[in-house]
Amino acid sequence: MRSKSIIKTDFLFPNQTNIYKGKVRDVYTINDDYLVMIATDRISAFDTVLPTGIPFKGQVLNQIASNFLDLSSAIVPNWKIESPDPIVTIGYFCEPFKVEMVIRGYLSGHAWREYKLGKRKICGVPMPDGMKENDRFPNPIITPTTKADFGHDEDISKEDIISSGLVSKEDYLYLEDITNKLFDQGTSFAKEKGLILVDTKYEFGRTKDGRIVLIDEIHTPDSSRYFYLNDYSLRQDLGQKQKQLSKEFVREWLIENNFQGKEGQSIPDMNIDFVNQVSSRYIELYEKITGHVFQKADTSNIVQRVKDNVNSFISNQL
């Protein structure tokens, strides 16, 4: 039986006070105190949500994020209370900071595209001359972006973040410190599993009692880029592309099919073979980074399953 995907939700949970639908996640607010975050099977690239869902993608994202939220809680507290369903995490309501903390250990993705254009600074941070794609930076660099509700996130410098009042200097320095510590931990975890954590992003928010906590996802293939460690050096020496576990290969496929989210471009059709390939890559990353065999959830009636599990949690816990 072909696996089903969930790309749209329309729940009405007990004491629901708000709903926000992002590119991938649908977030329901309960009593203005708690968030029910549902990781759908939607996939986005170039700030565009593609029309076809990827089976089990939401489960992969939710379970990887849940795993790393638990593992990183000694570095910084997070918003999570519990994950009552394979694609759901429930946590505390937080006011998000309007910046995303992007950290890069290697010259890849957006940074490489900027570098290739001749730029030697990104977000005000210098990049050394003489690098080639996927080379390691001497030290990881933090290249924050504004967090857009709609449209494109924009690169922004630390100085502009502070001077514009997006984040206070004291809070930004704290976010910077925590970002480095989380990346160090994520890098160590990845190395143990034979992977390189190339770059990633972290999002932070403030709870109602004033604490700064890690929110949203962490170290998933949607927020992070991974290379295989064992042949990284050989591929670099030979000038070959790195084999990676991230959605960058989806971006590359879109570019090959003449789509980069620009005006007038049409989203290419994703046939079933490519959709299954994407699903398999997400599952592969889950197994590589967690060290666990992926257990596919029952997809015969995802909507009812989620509804039952969330309602049960709310009635018993909240």
Side-chain angles (χ1 to χ4, degrees), residues 109-144:
H110 171 63
W112 166 246
R113 289 189 283 271
E114 294 290 285
Y115 195 92
K116 195 165 54 170
L117 294 173
K119 299 179 182 179
R120 291 299 178 266
K121 276 190 176 182
I122 182 171
C123 302
V125 180
M127 298 182 288
D129 282 323
M131 296 183 72
K132 62 181 185 293
E133 184 177 11
N134 301 325
D135 276 351
R136 184 177 181 179
F137 286 119
N139 295 293
I141 62 174
I142 294 178
T143 60

Side-chain angles (χ1 to χ4, degrees), residues 78-231:
N78 61 66
W79 72 288
K80 176 188 169 185
I81 298 172
E82 192 171 316
S83 181
D85 181 272
I87 67 169
V88 177
T89 295
I90 297 179
Y92 297 104
F93 175 87
C94 300
E95 186 66 36
F97 286 95
K98 293 296 185 181
V99 295
E100 295 182 350
M101 299 298 286
V102 180
I103 182 167
R104 305 175 183 278
Y106 295 74
L107 181 61
S108 303
H110 171 63
W112 166 246
R113 289 189 283 271
E114 294 290 285
Y115 195 92
K116 195 165 54 170
L117 294 173
K119 299 179 182 179
R120 291 299 178 266
K121 276 190 176 182
I122 182 171
C123 302
V125 180
M127 298 182 288
D129 282 323
M131 296 183 72
K132 62 181 185 293
E133 184 177 11
N134 301 325
D135 276 351
R136 184 177 181 179
F137 286 119
N139 295 293
I141 62 174
I142 294 178
T143 60
T145 66
T146 57
K147 185 170 171 54
D149 291 329
F150 302 98
H152 295 270
D153 298 337
E154 300 289 344
D155 290 345
I156 187 170
S157 69
K158 168 182 177 178
E159 292 74 21
D160 286 344
I161 289 171
I162 294 170
S163 65
S164 67
L166 272 176
V167 182
S168 72
K169 182 176 181 180
E170 179 184 5
D171 285 346
Y172 186 84
L173 292 177
Y174 176 74
L175 298 184
E176 199 173 53
D177 179 57
I178 293 301
T179 294
N180 280 309
K181 289 176 179 176
L182 289 171
F183 190 68
D184 284 347
Q185 185 190 58
T187 297
S188 295
F189 284 142
K191 186 175 182 180
E192 290 172 6
K193 301 297 190 296
L195 297 173
I196 294 171
L197 178 59
V198 178
D199 51 41
T200 191
K201 67 172 183 173
Y202 304 114
E203 297 186 45
F204 299 91
R206 196 185 300 276
T207 61
K208 286 189 172 183
D209 61 4
R211 295 178 303 134
I212 294 177
V213 298
L214 180 65
I215 63 172
D216 200 42
E217 62 183 341
I218 171 176
H219 297 160
T220 72
D222 270 20
S223 66
S224 313
R225 191 188 325 268
Y226 291 90
F227 292 158
Y228 284 89
L229 178 62
N230 63 348
D231 61 355

Side-chain angles (χ1 to χ4, degrees), residues 247-282:
K247 67 174 183 180
E248 181 67 15
F249 78 97
V250 176
R251 296 188 192 96
E252 291 174 349
W253 179 84
L254 289 169
I255 291 171
E256 289 170 5
N257 286 272
N258 304 310
F259 181 80
Q260 295 185 61
K262 297 177 180 177
E263 188 174 348
Q265 294 182 333
S266 298
I267 302 173
D269 290 329
M270 297 171 66
N271 62 41
I272 188 62
D273 288 340
F274 184 69
V275 168
N276 288 337
Q277 180 187 349
V278 177
S279 181
S280 295
R281 291 283 282 270
Y282 272 88

